[in-house]
Amino acid sequence: MPRRIVLSVAAGVVLLGGAGAFALAYAGEQPPSLTHSTARYAAPDGDRDGSLTFTTDVTASSGVKDVKVLAWPANSSFAEQGLTAKDMAAVESAVCKPLDEDTMRCTYAVTVTRAEAKASPRGVWHVAVLAGAEDGTTTLDTEAADFTVM
C-alpha cells in the first residue's frame, strides 16, 4: 500500500477518534431534559382536602441531583419579571425514583386545604421546574405544565 494512502487512513482514524471523543465529552455536559410533564389539580370538596400533583421525567447523563418545583399563577409578578433559577433555590423538591440508568420519574404532591384554595388566585397556573444534574448543569422550565384553579 503506498505510504500516502496509509498516512491518509491514519489521519482519518485520528480525526474520527477525536471527533468521537469530543461528541462523548459534549454529550456528558448536556443539561437535564424534562419530558412527560403533567399537573393534576383537585379542588377541596366537602370535608375532603384538595391536591396538586406534578410529575415529570428528568434525564441527565451524569445523574439527577435534584428537582425543585413551584406552582405559580399566570397573572402573578413572575409573568412580568420572569422566573429565575435564583427564585427556585428555596422551593420544595420533588421525590424522584429511577426509571432507567439516566432517567428519574419525579413527583411533587401537596395537599390543598379549603382555606388555601379560597385564598388562591383563580385562573391558569403554571408549574416551574428547576432540574439539577450531578455535573452541575441545570434546566429551568418556567411553564413545564399548567392547571386551572376555579
Side-chain angles (χ1 to χ4, degrees):
M1 188 180 286
R3 180 183 166 125
R4 186 177 297 175
I5 294 174
V6 171
L7 289 176
S8 294
V9 170
V13 169
V14 169
L15 182 62
L16 288 175
F22 174 77
L24 286 175
Y26 182 71
E29 295 174 8
Q30 293 295 309
S33 66
L34 306 172
T35 58
H36 310 296
S37 299
T38 60
R40 189 177 67 245
Y41 173 77
D45 185 25
D47 293 341
R48 182 183 55 85
D49 285 336
S51 64
L52 169 62
T53 304
F54 170 78
T55 303
T56 191
D57 294 346
V58 182
T59 302
S61 59
S62 67
V64 177
K65 182 178 179 184
D66 60 3
V67 176
K68 303 279 190 163
V69 179
L70 175 68
W72 59 281
N75 61 357
S76 72
S77 61
F78 288 134
E80 295 173 16
Q81 299 168 1
L83 190 61
T84 67
K86 185 177 178 181
D87 296 323
M88 298 289 290
V91 302
E92 295 178 337
S93 296
V95 175
C96 299
K97 296 181 180 181
L99 278 182
D100 61 36
E101 187 175 311
D102 296 331
T103 305
M104 303 283 267
R105 171 144 308 143
C106 301
T107 303
Y108 172 78
V110 63
T111 299
V112 179
T113 66
R114 183 169 297 293
E116 290 168 333
K118 187 175 180 180
S120 295
R122 301 293 177 247
V124 175
W125 284 59
H126 304 296
V127 178
V129 179
L130 177 64
E134 292 292 343
D135 66 5
T137 58
T138 61
T139 295
L140 173 62
D141 186 344
T142 59
E143 297 180 19
D146 298 326
F147 62 96
T148 302
V149 174
M150 296 186 182

